[in-house]
Amino acid sequence: MNANDTRSSRRSLLQVMLAFPALAWQASFANILKNSSMTVTAFDLSAVRLLSGPFETAQRLDTKYLLSLEPDRLLHNFRINAGLKPKAAVYGGWESQEPWVDIRCHGHTLGHYLSACAMMAAATGEREFANRCDYIVGELAACQQARKDGLICAFPDNALQLENSLVGKSFVGVPWYTTHKVMAGLRDTYIYTHNKQALQVLRQLADWIATRASELDDEQFQKMLDVEHGGMNEVLADLYAITGNHSYLKMSEKFCHRALLEPLAAGEDCLNGRHSNTQIPKIIGFSRLGELTHKMQYRRASRFFWHTVVEQRSFATGGDGEGEHFFPISEFPQRLSSGKTMETCCTHNMLRLTRALFLQTPMAPFADYYERALFNGILASQDPDSGMMTYFQSTRPGYLKLYCTPTDSFWCCTGTGMENHAKYGEFIYVHDADTLYVNLFIASELDWKEKQLRVVQQTQFPDEAFTQLTVHTPVSLKCKIRIRKPMWCEQMTITVNGHPTNTSVSTEGYVTLERVWRNNDVISVNFPMRLHLQKLPQSNDIAAIMYGPIVLAARFGHEGITPGADIIINERTSGSVLDRPMELPQLEATSITLDEKVKRKPDTVLSFKVKATSPDIELELIPFHRIAHERYTMYWKLV
């Protein structure tokens, strides 16, 4: 199959998966599921180790931050609500103060912290992370024992808002959102560190919810779900999968917000004006329930949502939204000047959804998006000096990234940020019974114990458009290795032990290498990258410059920025602090002439130079994930 045939095949696949008129979309989607029996399995995080590179560096920074935090400070309010004396002072920001908005998120960080430590224990093998999980779970169990009802919470008014919500009364804040984070932390601790007490605590908390929820009729329960409630449906579905207890599955379906589920399942884009990070966790739950129950309504809704957001509602980085909300697609050009575009939590959860959908239907378009959002959204969200995290990643020309403080912010994106850098190994490789899939080009080492197969991937991607995989096996092994052919690559070449091999691409977007593998076999993959323009949705004359999957940002200097000025406590000040109004820079270029206008500098590290028309200056372009502590622009006005 030649390159044009491959691109045509991939476009046809996407068109079938999208097929936007509602009835046609449902029929096409049903055919995909009928004709695709493939599913794949994720490797445990403990099977993958990162090697030297940007992701390993980010993981080490996150490791340092996680170990700097004190569990007893995160447990402070849980102990108070259980009638126990706290062992340390509470942290600031969303964990205690929240002076700017009464959202009742006290305790959410503990859930994220548990998840991050559990995943880091598996991803690095460092015992201290498992020890911290064990300690926190033991403390939460003590809180449950003291309360004698199974509940654990850290809200300033104890269980009042949860109780009010479950008897049909009005309530303040987002108590179910926070409860989900704690439950997810307990689930992850059980999964990644095999802590059985974590499962016991989680079950008691779920039983408390099930008992109280039985008092609320279905109409009242659905009204309660109008308020952000995280991924309650997902974590309860996972608990059912772990325990086999059908009461948890029933409760999971009860937590499915039908005001979102039904229109999405019918192929209707109902997202305008909705809070973005409220919706995405619900969709992850729909996907999980579709997997467990095989009900088409859940599967249609989750896939339609993914395609709608990825294909129509995303910026070049893979991020979405402005001011935390979805907006009419026609408004993309005027939203570009906001300082509050692309909430990092949304990208985090879109990656979780993408991975879930890929495991059910392994197709390269899912992995293409995952790669784009991972590099340009998640890797880009960490301060390379302090390890702190962004809340928003602004598209405003001439703005900069703002990061949380270590102990006085604890935004939602601080919590998901803790997790992001702990789980980089979750999608690089997946497998089925006799096939290894290579999804991402990240320096890493895989140990597939069941096959006695170890694969070492060495790459400097994206600075070099090349990766090398070395096979280590004590015995000759017949199996398939499938390597993703990226959408951004015109023609990929592969050699095995120096000999060219067939690079025909399947309709799923992978090149399959099937042979008897022997120790020290070497697979070399070249995937030439090219400059291209990524148009802003609903605009023909505004675009980002990309190199392969990498968004390139123009460096605009440090005017008005003093050391540490971009570290903030209150995320609500995003867009107002350090602002320097600036017009969108102009570039005299088209897709055809882009290579003439943008020239790569003779460096090993990815860097380009470009001549802007207005302002009349030469600018340096570097990957957006390497921009920090300086002003930038990622979009251009094309003239």
Side-chain angles (χ1 to χ4, degrees), residues 296-324:
M296 290 296 293
Q297 185 182 38
Y298 294 129
R299 305 186 79 176
R300 285 196 299 264
S302 57
R303 281 160 174 77
F304 179 78
F305 176 89
W306 186 90
H307 286 289
T308 300
V309 173
V310 169
E311 298 295 329
Q312 299 190 53
R313 292 182 171 275
S314 291
F315 293 96
T317 63
D320 60 75
E322 189 269 320
E324 303 187 10

Side-chain angles (χ1 to χ4, degrees), residues 81 102 104 147 149 151-176 179 208 212 224:
N81 284 353
D102 193 2
R104 293 294 200 280
R147 290 185 63 102
D149 63 356
L151 178 64
I152 43 176
C153 70
F155 304 122
D157 47 11
N158 210 312
L160 179 62
Q161 305 309 323
L162 281 172
E163 295 280 11
N164 282 347
S165 72
L166 288 172
V167 294
K169 294 182 180 179
S170 60
F171 58 97
V172 177
V174 288
W176 289 111
T179 300
W208 181 91
R212 297 299 198 280
M224 181 185 80

Side-chain angles (χ1 to χ4, degrees), residues 222-239:
Q222 285 296 312
K223 181 175 176 57
M224 181 185 80
L225 297 183
D226 287 338
V227 177
E228 185 172 13
H229 51 275
M232 285 296 300
N233 55 356
E234 181 213 8
V235 74
L236 287 165
D238 285 341
L239 188 55

Side-chain angles (χ1 to χ4, degrees), residues 514-589:
E514 184 174 9
R515 57 181 281 143
V516 175
W517 299 97
R518 294 179 172 83
N519 195 40
N520 292 323
D521 279 346
V522 176
I523 306 168
S524 299
V525 187
N526 285 278
F527 33 79
M529 300 163 72
R530 61 183 176 86
L531 289 163
H532 57 103
L533 294 173
Q534 181 70 38
K535 297 288 184 67
L536 184 73
Q538 298 296 304
S539 175
N540 287 321
D541 62 352
I542 299 174
I545 301 173
M546 298 187 69
Y547 188 63
I550 306 300
V551 173
L552 299 176
R555 306 177 73 171
F556 269 94
H558 304 83
E559 182 184 356
I561 307 172
T562 58
D566 51 357
I567 304 292
I568 62 172
I569 294 176
N570 185 350
E571 91 293 350
R572 304 283 158 166
T573 62
S574 294
S576 59
V577 300
L578 300 172
D579 193 24
R580 291 285 192 279
M582 174 182 156
E583 294 295 322
L584 201 64
Q586 295 183 6
L587 179 66
E588 188 176 329

